Amino acid sequence: YRDLHTFELQAPTRVIEWARGSRVCVAGYGQSSGNEILQLIPPPTLLTKETQGLCPERDFKVECGGFSKRPVYSLKCVPDSSLLVTSGPPESSLQVWQVSAEDSDVIKLVSTIATENGTGQSWAKIATISARAPWVLHGSRLDRVHVTEVESRKNVYTAASRDSEKLSGLAFLDCNTLLLCCATGRLCLADIRQPQSLVEAVSVPSVSCSEQWCMGTRHGAQGLELNSQPVARLSSRGLLTLTDLRKTSESLASAKAMIPSPDTGAEFLCVSWAPALESCLAISGFDGTVHVYDTQSWDNSGREAEPIFVHKGHAFGGAGGSRDPPLVTVHTWHLQKPRTLLSAASDGSLHVWDWVQPCGKC
């Protein structure tokens, strides 16, 4: 490691989101009525563009917080505002939160975005954008995808689909184009200017019925269209595929991740592109580790790929005894520092780490 910081949360979290002013938002996902939503100030070394030497203050600090009566399974900051949107079981409605001004340390619930037939549906996956107005893209199944204006709660778009496949993720590619990923691995494109259109972009190779998939899109690539960036998909058996949405008839590359026990479940599957590195991505959700891969040399052979770095801090940092080893629940990349990641685990640990650049890698 070049650097490693750890912070112990009161409860395990499955969301890490960058907020305004390089703050970090996390939230608990327990079943009790008091799930914390916190905005943390990162250690000073993460607030500077240049890597510094020894720093006397190495901890995160709680800047403000609130409590959700529901477990928080997804949290997104609304760009250019002080609003947060969260979702979680037992149904698919969304909660909108206000991060208070500097004279207060409270994050308070300000409204709820109800969804049609929300009762009985699984929790909604969400994405946010502020191109025209603060919008939230949300849905739990392919036939229940909406774009809603956050402040007015006005419905902007509803996807036209007769398919009720469960969704594992969704994203804005730009202010008009949506990308949806089904749990089966299917990708679908939608255009909010054409409410009746929903195009299947690409399917995956034949897989077992029990195999689950998630996706990761690239964000913040300067000077490049978002929809020209490869989409990465990760399966619960460790298969990785890269797809260019401009040419969906064939995959760009595929590989098999070096995971210890394939098909351990898909609850915490996570794949993400490095925003400041050309060809690096990270995966987690199989055990207590985060794997970083360089995809530059991948082809379509699907052979096993060797990670350029494995973060094992959560696996070795947990309590001893008979407790199950912690499982990484989520990870995300620092927006400016190329090789810096944040990760959280089921034991409540939050790590931020920067690995030493291998010679000739990333």
Side-chain angles (χ1 to χ4, degrees):
Y1 293 97
R2 185 186 302 275
D3 207 356
L4 172 64
H5 303 265
T6 65
F7 185 73
E8 296 302 321
L9 301 168
Q10 293 298 313
T13 180
R14 58 187 296 162
V15 292
I16 302 175
E17 176 78 358
W18 287 102
R20 293 191 305 170
S22 296
R23 299 316 196 241
V24 176
C25 289
V26 297
Y29 66 89
Q31 298 302 316
S32 67
S33 60
N35 295 287
E36 285 187 310
I37 299 177
L38 301 175
Q39 182 166 285
L40 306 175
I41 302 175
T45 55
L46 288 186
L47 300 177
T48 60
K49 293 184 178 180
E50 300 296 329
T51 301
Q52 295 181 337
L54 293 176
C55 180
E57 182 56 67
R58 297 181 58 83
D59 289 334
F60 287 85
K61 290 184 177 179
V62 177
E63 184 174 39
C64 54
F67 289 94
S68 171
K69 294 182 179 179
R70 291 167 51 176
V72 179
Y73 277 31
S74 185
L75 180 153
K76 296 294 180 183
C77 297
V78 179
D80 305 320
S81 79
S82 57
L83 298 175
L84 310 174
V85 182
T86 64
S87 66
E91 35 91 9
S92 60
S93 64
L94 311 181
Q95 289 72 51
V96 181
W97 303 80
Q98 174 78 53
V99 179
S100 300
E102 295 180 358
D103 58 346
S104 174
D105 60 358
V106 176
I107 297 176
K108 60 181 180 180
L109 180 66
V110 292
S111 66
T112 298
I113 298 176
T115 55
E116 295 180 7
N117 302 319
T119 303
Q121 298 299 320
S122 58
W123 61 280
K125 282 64 177 178
I126 55 178
T128 54
I129 196 172
S130 280
R132 299 189 183 94
W135 286 353
V136 56
L137 167 64
H138 56 102
S140 59
R141 294 187 177 274
L142 199 56
D143 59 348
R144 294 185 177 92
V145 175
H146 304 272
V147 175
T148 303
E149 192 171 292
V150 175
E151 294 174 320
S152 68
R153 288 172 282 175
K154 176 184 177 182
N155 184 69
V156 176
Y157 167 85
T158 299
S161 176
R162 297 179 180 178
D163 196 327
S164 61
E165 273 195 67
K166 184 179 179 180
L167 291 174
S168 63
L170 36 72
F172 283 103
L173 296 181
D174 55 37
C175 62
N176 295 312
T177 313
L178 317 175
L179 180 64
L180 317 174
C181 181
C182 298
T184 58
R186 288 175 56 204
L187 293 178
C188 295
L189 285 167
D191 192 319
I192 65 172
R193 297 166 296 187
Q194 302 175 21
Q196 300 305 313
S197 69
L198 187 64
V199 180
E200 181 177 340
V202 63
S203 58
V204 294
S206 56
V207 296
S208 65
C209 296
S210 62
E211 194 165 1
Q212 303 289 300
W213 292 76
C214 68
M215 75 167 180
T217 58
R218 289 194 66 178
H219 298 284
Q222 297 297 320
L224 295 174
E225 296 181 3
L226 285 179
N227 61 3
S228 70
Q229 300 305 301
V231 175
R233 282 173 292 171
L234 170 68
S235 83
S236 54
R237 293 179 58 228
L239 179 63
L240 282 155
T241 64
L242 309 183
T243 303
D244 187 337
L245 295 179
R246 299 168 301 179
K247 188 178 181 182
T248 60
S249 59
E250 58 186 36
S251 65
L252 286 175
S254 63
K256 183 72 169 59
M258 293 182 64
I259 55 176
S261 52
D263 218 4
T264 54
E267 183 178 6
F268 300 118
L269 281 185
C270 183
V271 56
S272 63
W273 284 103
L277 294 174
E278 183 63 29
S279 57
C280 283
L281 58 76
I283 68 169
S284 63
F286 297 95
D287 55 13
T289 65
V290 181
H291 289 208
V292 180
Y293 291 90
D294 183 359
T295 66
Q296 195 167 11
S297 62
W298 288 8
D299 53 27
N300 275 308
S301 65
R303 66 176 182 268
E304 191 171 67
E306 183 177 353
I308 60 173
F309 188 81
V310 179
H311 174 58
K312 301 179 180 179
H314 295 286
F316 294 119
S322 60
R323 292 179 56 185
D324 293 333
L327 176 67
V328 172
T329 55
V330 68
H331 73 265
T332 190
W333 295 79
H334 194 285
L335 299 179
Q336 287 85 34
K337 294 178 178 290
R339 292 181 304 280
T340 299
L341 291 92
L342 288 81
S343 54
S346 55
D347 62 352
S349 59
L350 175 65
H351 291 183
V352 54
W353 40 280
D354 188 333
W355 81 92
V356 176
Q357 181 177 1
C359 182
K361 302 282 188 180
C362 282

